[in-house]
Amino acid sequence: MLKTPPLQTATATIDTLCGRLASATLLEDRRAAILGLRSFAKQYPASVASGSLRELITTLRRDGLGDAASPRNKSDRRPSAAGSGDVDTIRLVLETLLMLFKPDTNSPEASDEIAFFMADEFSMRQDNIALLLNLLDPTSPYADYYSRLYSVNLLSAICAARPERLQECVLSAPLGTSRLVGVLDDTRDAVRNAGLLLLVDLTGGANEELRKIVAFEDVFAKVFALIRLEGGLADAGITGQDCLSLLANLTRGSASNQTMFRESGCVGQLMQLLREIFPPSTPSTDFAADTREKAGWGLLQLCRFFLVSGEASTPQNQLAFFRAGAAQILLDLAFHDGLPVPLRVLAFQSTADLISNNQPLQEQLAGLQVVVATADKGVLSPPAPQTNGSRSAPHSAKTSARTSVERPRTYIIEALLELTLKQSTAETSLRAAACALIQAYLGKHDRIKAHFLQRAISGHESNETGANALISLLQPDLNDHHSIVFASWIAQDLIVDITEAKAAFANIKEAGESEDEDVLTSIQSLGSSLEGLLRSSGNSTTIVAYTSLLTVLLWEFADGIDNLLAEGSSLIQALVNHAGNVATSPVTSGAAA
């Protein structure tokens, strides 16, 4: 009787297929072995990888590309004519390798170690990476859709496991970066998008040399062309966000790439993308709005990479961006109530970066105007009287970032003060960002500070109704403690380390509410407000605002100290009591001390 043959295990079958792949002399036999291994790759990745990985790479080089000089056995060179490669074999091998990188999660052999083993096997030999890069050559007879797509996916998998080693291999490979960047020109979306993701992963945290070479391959123009091809920033979706990520990776902290970006005429294209952040005139779906806002966030972050304080290239970047109209666009974004608050905050922060420590641009900022909406959407606030050196005026459409009907506009400093000090219902983060922009406008520019302070003093003396930092401090609205804090920040910037400014501030007189009350100086008025807050256990943030302002004002200013002490004995006692009282909050106690 015939005996039932023993059941063959998967491991034994894999061993048999590996042996057949290594010893077969006919292409058909090797292809059949690869098909068998591919069927096991998802469920038994460790067994297939350990037994056949090197043979799969050798087969890809020898049968797929027709390379007779296989490194597996140089003495056993089979005849191979030029162009004798096989596209089907390339596809089978690449599919099998990809399955080994991404096995079934339910497989008993599934492990992260397999991906590291595979990546090491590829990246430890320069010619293995060069083999995959050669498949990206658009002039190659084997560069069909699947060969290019699977090669890019394999490189992405290797990059995820061993990014530093892959970067070294790409730098060492002839035309390595050219072929990677060239994938962005592929007309097939899947190949092009896979190449874009690979470049994002490869340049993230890459060394400066690789980023320079990638940028030299005209990648900036290709990225902007890709965004336009996808329909612009609002319609590009995740592809547009990936494009912005690539631009960010290449320009972050790289002075040479930022210079190339400027000299390539890309600043104007960046400004065009900034204009696309504005909501459309016609209603759009929630998904489209969310996509546009995410892309807008990434675009504003990209702009800030060019404007990092202290970098050697920042002054040139600031000038190029300002000349391209970035300040007006950013300000219109910041004051557009149709955009989410975080995006508006980022627009304020980007504007502050744009003018920071750049005196000519700080001076030019004051001449810009914006449309400011009131609480009722669509109703614009009329121009107010002069405020801290600014006066509203009719707007010319030439200064607007968007074409629209003629609307009343407000000078930017006036609008910033109004938002910072008067709009108590606005988001605190938005008011803080507007205050930071005012501080950037004042920073390290004594002439602007002197003019700003003089106009604020004039406004206080004339009891103007517009937003005024001195009025917010000397006649505080205790229901809006944020306005006191922001006014304190502005005042500190105006007087810090400037004796003349401190003297001008100290000479301000604050009349009492009735004729019987004494007239106080500004220092005495600040001290009186602080004393009242301490005795009534007022808001700790407001207490810190007043104490920090008085500290800056009285520092190395003997006349100011004498002025305070003339009417400040009760204030001193209140400060002493809170500084030594353990029941007082740590913030208030520290401020009093």
PDB file of all heavy atoms in Angstrom, residues 293-310:
ATOM      1  N   GLU A 293      -6.828  75.745   5.810  1.00  0.00           N
ATOM      2  CA  GLU A 293      -6.277  76.268   7.060  1.00  0.00           C
ATOM      3  C   GLU A 293      -5.022  75.506   7.471  1.00  0.00           C
ATOM      4  O   GLU A 293      -4.056  76.107   7.964  1.00  0.00           O
ATOM      5  CB  GLU A 293      -7.336  76.194   8.150  1.00  0.00           C
ATOM      6  CG  GLU A 293      -8.471  77.205   7.941  1.00  0.00           C
ATOM      7  CD  GLU A 293      -9.701  76.887   8.756  1.00  0.00           C
ATOM      8  OE1 GLU A 293      -9.606  75.948   9.599  1.00  0.00           O
ATOM      9  OE2 GLU A 293     -10.742  77.540   8.590  1.00  0.00           O
ATOM     10  N   LYS A 294      -5.019  74.192   7.298  1.00  0.00           N
ATOM     11  CA  LYS A 294      -3.814  73.414   7.621  1.00  0.00           C
ATOM     12  C   LYS A 294      -2.649  73.820   6.728  1.00  0.00           C
ATOM     13  O   LYS A 294      -1.514  73.979   7.198  1.00  0.00           O
ATOM     14  CB  LYS A 294      -4.101  71.926   7.470  1.00  0.00           C
ATOM     15  CG  LYS A 294      -4.987  71.336   8.563  1.00  0.00           C
ATOM     16  CD  LYS A 294      -5.190  69.850   8.355  1.00  0.00           C
ATOM     17  CE  LYS A 294      -6.046  69.253   9.468  1.00  0.00           C
ATOM     18  NZ  LYS A 294      -6.290  67.800   9.259  1.00  0.00           N
ATOM     19  N   ALA A 295      -2.934  73.973   5.434  1.00  0.00           N
ATOM     20  CA  ALA A 295      -1.872  74.401   4.520  1.00  0.00           C
ATOM     21  C   ALA A 295      -1.404  75.809   4.863  1.00  0.00           C
ATOM     22  O   ALA A 295      -0.207  76.117   4.782  1.00  0.00           O
ATOM     23  CB  ALA A 295      -2.379  74.343   3.081  1.00  0.00           C
ATOM     24  N   GLY A 296      -2.347  76.684   5.268  1.00  0.00           N
ATOM     25  CA  GLY A 296      -1.965  78.034   5.668  1.00  0.00           C
ATOM     26  C   GLY A 296      -1.064  78.040   6.882  1.00  0.00           C
ATOM     27  O   GLY A 296      -0.101  78.816   6.963  1.00  0.00           O
ATOM     28  N   TRP A 297      -1.365  77.165   7.840  1.00  0.00           N
ATOM     29  CA  TRP A 297      -0.507  77.048   9.024  1.00  0.00           C
ATOM     30  C   TRP A 297       0.911  76.642   8.621  1.00  0.00           C
ATOM     31  O   TRP A 297       1.890  77.242   9.074  1.00  0.00           O
ATOM     32  CB  TRP A 297      -1.113  76.029   9.982  1.00  0.00           C
ATOM     33  CG  TRP A 297      -0.309  75.782  11.206  1.00  0.00           C
ATOM     34  CD1 TRP A 297       0.706  74.874  11.359  1.00  0.00           C
ATOM     35  CD2 TRP A 297      -0.400  76.459  12.465  1.00  0.00           C
ATOM     36  NE1 TRP A 297       1.231  74.946  12.620  1.00  0.00           N
ATOM     37  CE2 TRP A 297       0.573  75.910  13.323  1.00  0.00           C
ATOM     38  CE3 TRP A 297      -1.222  77.473  12.942  1.00  0.00           C
ATOM     39  CZ2 TRP A 297       0.738  76.345  14.631  1.00  0.00           C
ATOM     40  CZ3 TRP A 297      -1.053  77.903  14.245  1.00  0.00           C
ATOM     41  CH2 TRP A 297      -0.081  77.334  15.075  1.00  0.00           C
ATOM     42  N   GLY A 298       1.018  75.636   7.767  1.00  0.00           N
ATOM     43  CA  GLY A 298       2.346  75.204   7.323  1.00  0.00           C
ATOM     44  C   GLY A 298       3.072  76.275   6.548  1.00  0.00           C
ATOM     45  O   GLY A 298       4.299  76.438   6.673  1.00  0.00           O
ATOM     46  N   LEU A 299       2.340  77.038   5.754  1.00  0.00           N
ATOM     47  CA  LEU A 299       2.964  78.094   4.955  1.00  0.00           C
ATOM     48  C   LEU A 299       3.496  79.217   5.842  1.00  0.00           C
ATOM     49  O   LEU A 299       4.599  79.736   5.620  1.00  0.00           O
ATOM     50  CB  LEU A 299       1.940  78.635   3.962  1.00  0.00           C
ATOM     51  CG  LEU A 299       2.457  79.608   2.908  1.00  0.00           C
ATOM     52  CD1 LEU A 299       3.525  78.950   2.050  1.00  0.00           C
ATOM     53  CD2 LEU A 299       1.306  80.086   2.025  1.00  0.00           C
ATOM     54  N   LEU A 300       2.734  79.599   6.857  1.00  0.00           N
ATOM     55  CA  LEU A 300       3.208  80.639   7.773  1.00  0.00           C
ATOM     56  C   LEU A 300       4.415  80.161   8.578  1.00  0.00           C
ATOM     57  O   LEU A 300       5.349  80.940   8.829  1.00  0.00           O
ATOM     58  CB  LEU A 300       2.074  81.061   8.707  1.00  0.00           C
ATOM     59  CG  LEU A 300       0.925  81.836   8.047  1.00  0.00           C
ATOM     60  CD1 LEU A 300      -0.211  82.067   9.043  1.00  0.00           C
ATOM     61  CD2 LEU A 300       1.412  83.167   7.491  1.00  0.00           C
ATOM     62  N   GLN A 301       4.410  78.908   8.983  1.00  0.00           N
ATOM     63  CA  GLN A 301       5.583  78.365   9.676  1.00  0.00           C
ATOM     64  C   GLN A 301       6.801  78.376   8.756  1.00  0.00           C
ATOM     65  O   GLN A 301       7.921  78.664   9.197  1.00  0.00           O
ATOM     66  CB  GLN A 301       5.306  76.938  10.160  1.00  0.00           C
ATOM     67  CG  GLN A 301       4.274  76.839  11.278  1.00  0.00           C
ATOM     68  CD  GLN A 301       4.819  77.313  12.613  1.00  0.00           C
ATOM     69  OE1 GLN A 301       5.896  77.874  12.703  1.00  0.00           O
ATOM     70  NE2 GLN A 301       4.057  77.080  13.674  1.00  0.00           N
ATOM     71  N   LEU A 302       6.586  78.065   7.479  1.00  0.00           N
ATOM     72  CA  LEU A 302       7.685  78.113   6.511  1.00  0.00           C
ATOM     73  C   LEU A 302       8.247  79.525   6.414  1.00  0.00           C
ATOM     74  O   LEU A 302       9.474  79.711   6.383  1.00  0.00           O
ATOM     75  CB  LEU A 302       7.174  77.636   5.148  1.00  0.00           C
ATOM     76  CG  LEU A 302       8.148  77.776   3.972  1.00  0.00           C
ATOM     77  CD1 LEU A 302       9.401  76.924   4.193  1.00  0.00           C
ATOM     78  CD2 LEU A 302       7.463  77.377   2.656  1.00  0.00           C
ATOM     79  N   CYS A 303       7.376  80.522   6.368  1.00  0.00           N
ATOM     80  CA  CYS A 303       7.853  81.915   6.302  1.00  0.00           C
ATOM     81  C   CYS A 303       8.718  82.253   7.511  1.00  0.00           C
ATOM     82  O   CYS A 303       9.739  82.953   7.382  1.00  0.00           O
ATOM     83  CB  CYS A 303       6.665  82.864   6.222  1.00  0.00           C
ATOM     84  SG  CYS A 303       5.748  82.786   4.665  1.00  0.00           S
ATOM     85  N   ARG A 304       8.336  81.763   8.670  1.00  0.00           N
ATOM     86  CA  ARG A 304       9.072  82.096   9.895  1.00  0.00           C
ATOM     87  C   ARG A 304      10.476  81.490   9.900  1.00  0.00           C
ATOM     88  O   ARG A 304      11.371  82.010  10.574  1.00  0.00           O
ATOM     89  CB  ARG A 304       8.292  81.643  11.119  1.00  0.00           C
ATOM     90  CG  ARG A 304       6.937  82.312  11.278  1.00  0.00           C
ATOM     91  CD  ARG A 304       6.330  82.044  12.622  1.00  0.00           C
ATOM     92  NE  ARG A 304       7.050  82.754  13.682  1.00  0.00           N
ATOM     93  CZ  ARG A 304       6.811  82.583  14.983  1.00  0.00           C
ATOM     94  NH1 ARG A 304       5.892  81.710  15.377  1.00  0.00           N
ATOM     95  NH2 ARG A 304       7.492  83.257  15.879  1.00  0.00           N
ATOM     96  N   PHE A 305      10.683  80.392   9.163  1.00  0.00           N
ATOM     97  CA  PHE A 305      12.020  79.806   9.078  1.00  0.00           C
ATOM     98  C   PHE A 305      13.003  80.753   8.393  1.00  0.00           C
ATOM     99  O   PHE A 305      14.206  80.672   8.622  1.00  0.00           O
ATOM    100  CB  PHE A 305      11.986  78.469   8.330  1.00  0.00           C
ATOM    101  CG  PHE A 305      11.295  77.368   9.085  1.00  0.00           C
ATOM    102  CD1 PHE A 305      10.541  76.421   8.419  1.00  0.00           C
ATOM    103  CD2 PHE A 305      11.383  77.284  10.457  1.00  0.00           C
ATOM    104  CE1 PHE A 305       9.900  75.396   9.106  1.00  0.00           C
ATOM    105  CE2 PHE A 305      10.748  76.271  11.157  1.00  0.00           C
ATOM    106  CZ  PHE A 305      10.003  75.332  10.480  1.00  0.00           C
ATOM    107  N   PHE A 306      12.495  81.643   7.542  1.00  0.00           N
ATOM    108  CA  PHE A 306      13.352  82.621   6.873  1.00  0.00           C
ATOM    109  C   PHE A 306      13.625  83.841   7.748  1.00  0.00           C
ATOM    110  O   PHE A 306      14.480  84.657   7.402  1.00  0.00           O
ATOM    111  CB  PHE A 306      12.694  83.094   5.571  1.00  0.00           C
ATOM    112  CG  PHE A 306      12.682  82.087   4.470  1.00  0.00           C
ATOM    113  CD1 PHE A 306      11.681  81.133   4.390  1.00  0.00           C
ATOM    114  CD2 PHE A 306      13.676  82.075   3.509  1.00  0.00           C
ATOM    115  CE1 PHE A 306      11.657  80.197   3.380  1.00  0.00           C
ATOM    116  CE2 PHE A 306      13.669  81.142   2.482  1.00  0.00           C
ATOM    117  CZ  PHE A 306      12.654  80.196   2.422  1.00  0.00           C
ATOM    118  N   LEU A 307      12.918  83.963   8.867  1.00  0.00           N
ATOM    119  CA  LEU A 307      12.963  85.195   9.652  1.00  0.00           C
ATOM    120  C   LEU A 307      13.420  84.958  11.083  1.00  0.00           C
ATOM    121  O   LEU A 307      13.053  85.696  11.991  1.00  0.00           O
ATOM    122  CB  LEU A 307      11.565  85.834   9.659  1.00  0.00           C
ATOM    123  CG  LEU A 307      10.926  86.062   8.281  1.00  0.00           C
ATOM    124  CD1 LEU A 307       9.486  86.502   8.423  1.00  0.00           C
ATOM    125  CD2 LEU A 307      11.719  87.073   7.475  1.00  0.00           C
ATOM    126  N   VAL A 308      14.243  83.938  11.285  1.00  0.00           N
ATOM    127  CA  VAL A 308      14.711  83.597  12.624  1.00  0.00           C
ATOM    128  C   VAL A 308      15.687  84.665  13.109  1.00  0.00           C
ATOM    129  O   VAL A 308      16.660  85.001  12.415  1.00  0.00           O
ATOM    130  CB  VAL A 308      15.378  82.216  12.634  1.00  0.00           C
ATOM    131  CG1 VAL A 308      15.919  81.885  14.020  1.00  0.00           C
ATOM    132  CG2 VAL A 308      14.388  81.158  12.199  1.00  0.00           C
ATOM    133  N   SER A 309      15.436  85.192  14.285  1.00  0.00           N
ATOM    134  CA  SER A 309      16.281  86.259  14.825  1.00  0.00           C
ATOM    135  C   SER A 309      17.699  85.753  15.072  1.00  0.00           C
ATOM    136  O   SER A 309      17.896  84.659  15.595  1.00  0.00           O
ATOM    137  CB  SER A 309      15.680  86.773  16.140  1.00  0.00           C
ATOM    138  OG  SER A 309      16.488  87.760  16.708  1.00  0.00           O
ATOM    139  N   GLY A 310      18.686  86.537  14.662  1.00  0.00           N
ATOM    140  CA  GLY A 310      20.084  86.205  14.893  1.00  0.00           C
ATOM    141  C   GLY A 310      20.763  85.480  13.762  1.00  0.00           C
ATOM    142  O   GLY A 310      22.003  85.379  13.748  1.00  0.00           O
TER     143      GLY A 310
END
